[in-house]
């Protein structure tokens, strides 16, 4: 499986100083190899959208993203030299920023294994609460990771360059902006990642605090108050997810850490409704495949993975008319593994109604690997 390098930067805040001057970040000695499922990469970017869009918009975007990547069966994920170096700046920017969004999710998963207990919600897609809630003007993180009674905001960035040996001024400025956002929302827990991509490798820097951060010094007019002037009680810190600092996983059962006091359960319901809307729009605007998958109708398309030259890998992007249960998803993974004889060039990701398959099996139609066999 293709992999990236994951590094930890530990940051601290000097409360006596204002703004960026009070923030410092140091690279921890250890680095880790992080395996990347490129089919999952496509799925994360598909669902991280503020509004539903047609299938014929999403599918080309996914192909552009993957066409810029050298995705070896076993080795470092990187940008393709023949494409990245000659590409226009704005297209390359789209690719590396899209990578950054997926790498944030992969880094948080690797650090805390949160995905075993919860789900991913896209913060920009949530129209919640009054104006003093997540819809506050100015900087706000890209993603919201949700568990029952817990939440973690995530900020993702991507840059086309070699990974720096130390924290950059841009990193610290972004941390300062996120700290102000966090303080506005009653010390909302957050995490930040920066993905650096070039023709040699991709490195993901995960910025984590050294213990619970103290509030940075701010100007008087930066301080926010509840509309009713009341304060909110913060509940007990949770430590059930190993690898993540406790304060990230603030238990909100004793009071919400956000100005709008929106329960996590209600946030999750709104997020699920939005994801359902995205998937329904994709399904109704995608062409029928003419196959059944676990008895479900399948809409979608497949095409060569590489837009810019020859290659034997293909991307199949489809929607089912109904969700697969967890048991059916496991059966689907086993089915594809059997039909490809465990081919390492195959990547599969299933979430709800969305199915993404990348395969190097060149015999027949890629949908044959998923579809029910006729009796």
């Amino acid at each position: 499986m293709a992999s990236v390098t994951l590094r930890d930067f530990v940051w601290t805040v000097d409360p006596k100083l204002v703004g960026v001057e009070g923030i410092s970040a140091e690279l921890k000695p250890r680095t880790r190899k992080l395996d990347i499922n490129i089919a999952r990469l496509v799925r994360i970017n598909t669902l991280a959208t503020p509004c539903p869009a047609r299938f014929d918009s999403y599918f080309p975007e996914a192909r552009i993203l993957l066409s810029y990547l050298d995705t070896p069966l076993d080795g470092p994920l990187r940008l393709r030299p023949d494409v990245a170096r000659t590409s226009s700046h704005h297209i390359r920017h789209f690719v590396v920023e899209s990578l950054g969004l997926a790498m944030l999710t992969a880094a948080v998963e690797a650090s805390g294994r949160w995905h075993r207990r919860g789900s991913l919600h896209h913060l920009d897609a949530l129209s919640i609460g009054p104006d003093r809630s997540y819809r506050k003007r100015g900087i706000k993180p890209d993603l919201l990771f949700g568990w029952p009674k817990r939440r973690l905001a995530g900020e993702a960035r991507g840059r086309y360059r070699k990974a720096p040996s130390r924290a950059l001024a841009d990193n610290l400025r972004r941390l300062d902006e996120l700290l102000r956002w966090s303080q506005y929302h009653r010390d909302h827990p957050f995490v930040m990642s920066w993905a650096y991509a070039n023709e040699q490798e991709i490195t993901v820097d995960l910025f984590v605090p050294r213990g619970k951060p103290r509030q940075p010094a701010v100007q008087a007019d930066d301080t926010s108050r509840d509309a009713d002037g009341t304060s909110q009680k913060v509940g007990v810190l949770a430590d059930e997810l190993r690898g993540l600092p406790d304060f990230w996983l603030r238990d909100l059962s004793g009071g919400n850490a956000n100005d709008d006091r929106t329960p996590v359960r209600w946030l999750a319901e709104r997020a699920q409704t939005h994801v359902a809307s995205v998937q329904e729009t994709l399904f109704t605007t995608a062409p029928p495949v003419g196959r059944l998958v676990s008895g479900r109708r399948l809409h979608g398309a497949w095409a060569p993975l590489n837009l810019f030259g020859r290659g034997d890998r293909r991307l199949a992007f489809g929607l089912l008319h109904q969700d697969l249960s967890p048991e059916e998803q496991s059966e689907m993974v086993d089915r594809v593994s059997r039909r490809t004889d465990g081919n390492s060039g195959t990547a599969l990701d299933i979430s709800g109604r969305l199915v993404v398959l990348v395969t190097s099996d060149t015999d027949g139609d890629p949908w044959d690997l998923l579809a029910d066999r006729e009796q």
Side-chain angles (χ1 to χ4, degrees):
M1 182 177 290
S3 62
V4 301
T5 298
L6 178 61
R7 309 189 302 180
D8 289 328
F9 275 84
V10 176
W11 57 266
T12 56
V13 175
D14 184 344
K16 298 177 182 178
L17 299 176
V18 176
V20 178
E21 290 75 12
I23 303 174
S24 59
E26 296 180 357
L27 176 63
K28 293 178 68 175
R30 71 169 180 161
T31 60
R32 293 165 278 168
K33 186 179 80 167
L34 182 59
D35 291 334
I36 299 296
N37 180 338
I38 60 174
R40 179 166 170 72
L41 184 154
V42 171
R43 193 256 292 182
I44 291 170
N45 283 283
T46 300
L47 296 181
T49 175
C51 60
R54 293 178 53 85
F55 179 87
D56 50 14
S57 296
Y58 278 113
F59 190 51
E61 284 188 7
R63 290 189 66 200
I64 291 172
L65 173 59
L66 296 186
S67 292
Y68 269 72
L69 296 178
D70 180 8
T71 56
L73 304 185
D74 184 19
L77 188 69
R78 60 177 188 157
L79 297 182
R80 288 184 49 193
D82 56 330
V83 176
R85 291 174 182 169
T86 60
S87 175
S88 61
H89 171 77
H90 60 283
I91 296 297
R92 193 168 57 208
H93 180 76
F94 157 74
V95 170
V96 296
E97 286 287 358
S98 297
L99 274 175
L101 191 66
M103 294 304 161
L104 167 65
T105 302
V108 172
E109 287 181 349
S111 298
R113 297 188 296 279
W114 63 271
H115 59 301
R116 296 181 181 178
R117 294 176 176 266
S119 57
L120 170 69
H121 314 314
H122 190 249
L123 191 149
D124 283 345
L126 299 175
S127 176
I128 59 171
D131 289 340
R132 59 192 175 88
S133 69
Y134 282 125
R135 296 179 64 83
K136 174 182 179 289
R137 292 181 180 179
I139 177 69
K140 61 180 177 178
D142 297 302
L143 296 179
L144 183 65
F145 302 92
W147 303 266
K149 299 183 181 179
R150 298 177 181 88
R151 71 190 79 188
L152 170 67
E155 171 74 355
R157 280 290 174 265
R159 292 293 184 268
Y160 173 63
R161 56 158 294 169
K162 181 180 179 181
S165 59
R166 56 183 177 82
L168 302 177
D170 284 347
N171 304 144
L172 302 184
R173 279 194 291 268
R174 203 64 173 180
L175 276 174
D176 179 56
E177 293 172 333
L178 290 168
L179 279 167
R180 294 173 185 273
W181 175 89
S182 174
Q183 184 183 19
Y184 181 89
H185 292 284
R186 297 291 184 257
D187 296 331
H188 194 298
F190 70 89
V191 63
M192 182 179 78
S193 70
W194 286 62
Y196 299 101
N198 59 28
E199 295 81 6
Q200 285 73 48
E201 63 179 351
I202 294 175
T203 300
V204 183
D205 289 346
L206 186 65
F207 286 80
V208 298
R210 189 188 302 278
K212 183 177 180 180
R214 300 171 66 182
Q215 288 188 359
V218 294
Q219 304 294 342
D221 58 0
D222 286 333
T223 303
S224 62
R225 299 178 180 274
D226 285 345
D228 57 5
T230 60
S231 61
Q232 298 184 42
K233 182 178 67 175
V234 176
V236 180
L237 300 182
D239 59 359
E240 6 181 301
L241 296 182
R242 299 176 183 174
L244 288 179
D246 288 347
F247 85 91
W248 282 7
L249 306 175
R250 190 184 306 279
D251 188 335
L252 302 180
S253 59
N256 209 333
N258 296 71
D259 282 3
D260 65 355
R261 301 185 181 86
T262 306
V264 177
R265 176 185 56 79
W266 193 78
L267 274 177
E269 291 174 355
R270 290 293 299 269
Q272 291 165 1
T273 299
H274 174 75
V275 168
S277 177
V278 170
Q279 293 183 131
E280 177 63 18
T281 301
L282 288 171
F283 178 80
T284 57
T285 57
V289 172
R291 312 285 181 87
L292 293 179
V293 173
S294 297
R296 275 79 162 174
R297 298 191 308 276
L298 176 66
H299 289 190
W302 68 268
L305 190 66
N306 186 0
L307 280 167
F308 307 114
R310 288 186 147 184
D312 63 348
R313 305 187 81 185
R314 297 172 296 178
L315 170 67
F317 186 97
L319 282 299
L320 304 171
H321 84 278
Q322 290 180 334
D323 289 1
L324 293 178
S325 68
E327 294 75 19
E328 289 171 320
Q329 291 183 22
S330 297
E331 292 174 1
M332 182 61 58
V333 172
D334 292 339
R335 176 189 300 180
V336 171
S337 180
R338 289 194 309 269
R339 292 178 180 178
T340 60
D341 295 324
N343 187 334
S344 59
T346 300
L348 173 66
D349 188 82
I350 307 170
S351 176
R353 299 166 61 182
L354 182 60
V355 180
V356 183
L357 174 68
V358 175
T359 178
S360 58
D361 185 344
T362 56
D363 295 331
D365 190 315
W367 299 125
D368 291 338
L369 302 176
L370 298 169
D372 300 338
R373 294 280 169 86
E374 296 182 3
Q375 304 296 323

